[in-house]
Amino acid sequence: MPLPPYRIKVVEPIAFLSAEERAAALGAAGYNPFNLRADQITVDLLSDSGTGATSAAQEGAAAVGDESYAGARSWFRFLDEVAALTGYPHVLPVHQGRAGERILFGTLLRPGQICVSNTHFDTTHANVELSGAEARDLPCAEAADLDSREPFKGNIDVAALAALLAGPDGERVGLVLMTITNNGLGAQPVSMANLRAVRALCREHGVPFFLDAARFAENAWLVREREPGYAGRTPREIAREAFDLADGCVISLKKDGLASIGGCIGLRDDDLHARCEANLIATEGFSTYGGLAGHDLERLAVGVREVVDPAYLGARAAATANLARMITDAGVEIVQPAGIHALYLNAGRLLPHLSAAEFPGHSLGCQLYLDGGIRCAELGSLYLGTMDEQHRLVTPAPFELVRLAIPRRVYTQEHFEYVAETLAAIAKDPERITGYRIVSTPPILRHFKVRLAPLP
Ligand code: F0G
């Protein structure tokens, strides 16, 4: 296995609660892991967002962060790095990805328009719809087969996009947004061929083409590994080629920015930039800090350079692939092939005795916490299903999945072995796991604040 190109210098303790303490903690959290305290968790795989470890170089840079209100030195460091990486002439800083989404969609989309994506991430979907537009997903057909090992199951369905643009709704398409990698669909990458096809269609129909590039480096790594013609290219060159194809991007830099907070919008169009900038200043902060501190901008300027290091990406991809192997050897199936930032467990198949209305993905996630103090997120009917007024499931999600997100540079091989062992024990006797019912739910983005109770 490729060695990670770093050693550990600063550590923090993790919690080891007893089984009784975990059961009490989960009950008090309304059986929703989002409501747990982080110090009740042993291995936290809830998100890879803002959860990575920073480097000594990042902390050194942060120490000299310039906190001037306008025109800070740290801003120019950040701008130079992001502009060099992406090639976009305009860069606007934001405090995280969804702030960039809100500003971009609020400026670019009009009510009644359609934003088309390979798959919108949940906050992205919400921000499109809050702008009055419709978020429509057109994932490629291969994505529907969780077991197939097609290399680019994150792609958009190009034929469906072409048909939409040429059809009666074509005039309403205000934006095509490609999520790289496709976090909503198994962390699967998008090929450069797919991005080129999208660009050609967008050009033909005069529709803006943007990237949601939260995991731009990880997508580039998977292109290098899987797409013919890219083996000899650096991840940085491949990422740049992707940015070159698009008219702009939104990036949550909490992922491949290797920092705990931050994001940006990249743009080519002068007029769109001016309008987004006005919105940014009114709602996030002046255009040379956008809601970020100077020390954040410094960490990000170093992070976007560190993240494209082939040694780092190779070791991270190998660690995830190794965890995938351990989990499948233990008898738990995952969405294939393994991506980099997360693994998606097929809970529907592991717990066939639970119906979708009993939320098998949620049950498996809760069991991982009860048995091992491991926190993760359900991506099944609790997250995507539609409910009636009494919180009963009306339309289930297509799959009952659980996401194990892997924070960057945080956990060691031993932690991953522990996760695999905990899953192996569950897989030996899955029938002891019971389902859940919803007790109360918020109006949108249900999974964050829903409260549940175990079924008898
Ligand atoms: N786009 C994608 C593809 C994402 O995965 C996320 C966040 C966002 C946009 C929003 O960025 O959190 O900085 O506002 N994903 C996190 C996750 C939360 O756990 O997958 P943000």
Side-chain angles (χ1 to χ4, degrees), residues 34 46-50 95-101 119-124 127 177 179-184 212-215 250-255 260-263 341-342 344 377 403 405 448:
F34 276 101
L46 185 64
S47 180
D48 66 316
S49 182
H95 83 277
Q96 67 180 91
R98 66 198 72 179
E101 294 163 2
T119 308
H120 293 84
F121 179 66
D122 57 13
T123 62
T124 320
N127 276 300
L177 182 74
T179 311
I180 61 169
T181 57
N182 195 337
N183 184 25
D212 175 351
R215 298 175 182 86
V250 272
I251 316 183
S252 166
L253 290 169
K254 300 179 68 167
K255 287 83 169 168
S260 52
I261 200 74
H341 84 275
Y344 296 66
R403 186 182 76 166
F448 289 121

Side-chain angles (χ1 to χ4, degrees), residues 356-424:
E358 295 168 310
F359 306 122
H362 188 75
S363 297
L364 179 58
C366 285
Q367 205 61 43
L368 276 165
Y369 180 72
L370 293 169
D371 291 356
I374 298 160
R375 177 159 72 168
C376 49
E378 191 253 18
L379 284 179
S381 290
L382 184 63
Y383 169 61
L384 289 170
T386 58
M387 312 279 171
D388 68 14
E389 304 271 290
Q390 280 77 47
H391 318 310
R392 282 180 310 229
L393 186 68
V394 177
T395 325
F399 307 107
E400 304 298 338
L401 304 177
V402 177
R403 186 182 76 166
L404 305 182
I406 320 282
R408 294 169 181 78
R409 307 191 288 203
V410 169
Y411 292 117
T412 64
Q413 173 68 11
E414 289 90 335
H415 294 107
F416 294 136
E417 283 168 12
Y418 172 79
V419 171
E421 283 161 17
T422 307
L423 266 170

Side-chain angles (χ1 to χ4, degrees), residues 227-308:
E227 189 162 355
Y230 286 91
R233 307 273 302 281
T234 67
R236 189 181 170 92
E237 287 165 351
I238 298 169
R240 177 57 185 269
E241 187 178 320
F243 288 120
D244 281 347
L245 288 168
D247 298 311
C249 69
V250 272
I251 316 183
S252 166
L253 290 169
K254 300 179 68 167
K255 287 83 169 168
D256 279 348
L258 296 180
S260 52
I261 200 74
C264 67
I265 307 172
L267 298 163
R268 297 192 197 285
D269 186 87
D270 297 338
D271 175 59
L272 183 60
H273 167 250
R275 288 188 294 134
C276 286
E277 185 177 44
N279 189 330
L280 176 80
I281 296 171
T283 61
E284 277 281 285
F286 189 60
S287 42
T288 64
Y289 74 91
L292 293 165
H295 56 82
D296 297 322
L297 292 163
E298 293 280 356
R299 286 190 190 88
L300 290 165
V302 179
V304 294
R305 191 165 276 274
E306 289 181 347
V307 78
V308 288

Side-chain angles (χ1 to χ4, degrees), residues 51-85:
T51 53
T54 50
S55 67
Q58 285 178 291
E59 292 310 315
V64 294
D66 176 357
E67 306 298 343
S68 303
Y69 189 90
R73 191 177 58 241
S74 303
W75 156 248
F76 290 105
R77 288 222 181 98
F78 173 87
L79 173 64
D80 288 349
E81 285 295 342
V82 174
L85 172 76

